[in-house]
Amino acid sequence: MNSTLEQIQQFLAAEFPQSLEHCEVIDVQPQTSTVRYYVSESQLRPGGTISGPTIMTIADFALYVAILGEIGLVGLVVTTNININFLRKPDGKHDLIGKCRLMKVGKSLIVGEVWVYSEGMEEPVAHVTGTYAIPPKLVS
C-alpha cells in the first residue's frame, strides 16, 4: 500500500475538501477501502429512500480512496466507467457504508467493485463496478 489512512485523509482535506462534507474514510488496506456517507434529509427521495446519485457518490468515493491507498496520492485518477445495480431500498434513517475491493490494478486502468450497505442492514443495497484511468505520467 502506498498511502496510509492518515495520508489519504490529509490529501482529501487539502485537495478535495468537498468530498469530506458528507463522506468519511473508515479504513484503507491493500486494494480495499471502507467509507461512510452521512445521510441527511437532502439525500432522501419520497418514501424515505436514498437517492441514486448519493449511492453513486459513496461508491465513487470508496473506489477513489482504495486507489489512493494502492498507487499513492494522485489527484488526476479519473473515472472512465461506472455501473450500478440497485438491489434493495436503502434505509433513509441510516448512513451508507461502502466496502470497496480493487479487482485489477493495471498500468493504465484500475477496476474495482463496491458493495453499498445501509448501516445495520446485512444485505447490500447496491453493487457498483468502476474503471479508473491512471494519468499517463504515472504509467511506466
Side-chain angles (χ1 to χ4, degrees):
M1 185 168 73
N2 288 321
S3 301
T4 66
L5 172 66
E6 293 77 21
Q7 290 170 326
I8 292 169
Q9 289 172 326
Q10 291 173 357
F11 174 77
L12 292 171
E15 300 296 326
F16 300 104
Q18 68 277 14
S19 70
L20 300 175
E21 289 177 12
H22 295 284
C23 295
E24 173 192 10
V25 180
I26 297 171
D27 189 35
V28 180
Q29 297 295 322
Q31 297 195 8
T32 67
S33 72
T34 303
V35 300
R36 173 186 309 276
Y37 190 103
Y38 295 105
V39 175
S40 68
E41 288 288 320
S42 64
Q43 289 89 34
L44 299 184
R45 295 289 191 254
T49 191
I50 300 170
S51 72
T54 299
I55 296 170
M56 291 188 82
T57 298
I58 189 176
D60 193 47
F61 185 70
L63 283 157
Y64 187 58
V65 167
I67 291 167
L68 293 176
E70 193 62 26
I71 69 169
L73 303 175
V74 181
L76 293 177
V77 174
V78 295
T79 309
T80 60
N81 181 60
I82 197 160
N83 181 62
I84 188 166
N85 292 295
F86 298 102
L87 304 174
R88 58 191 45 83
K89 179 181 172 181
D91 182 349
K93 295 179 182 177
H94 292 91
D95 294 336
L96 293 175
I97 303 295
K99 296 185 178 197
C100 176
R101 178 181 67 94
L102 300 180
M103 300 183 304
K104 180 177 183 353
V105 178
K107 292 181 180 179
S108 60
L109 295 174
I110 297 176
V111 179
E113 69 175 346
V114 180
W115 292 95
V116 180
Y117 298 84
S118 275
E119 191 170 35
M121 289 177 64
E122 284 189 37
E123 295 295 321
V125 299
H127 178 251
V128 181
T129 56
T131 304
Y132 293 73
I134 302 169
K137 68 179 184 176
L138 293 178
V139 177
S140 45

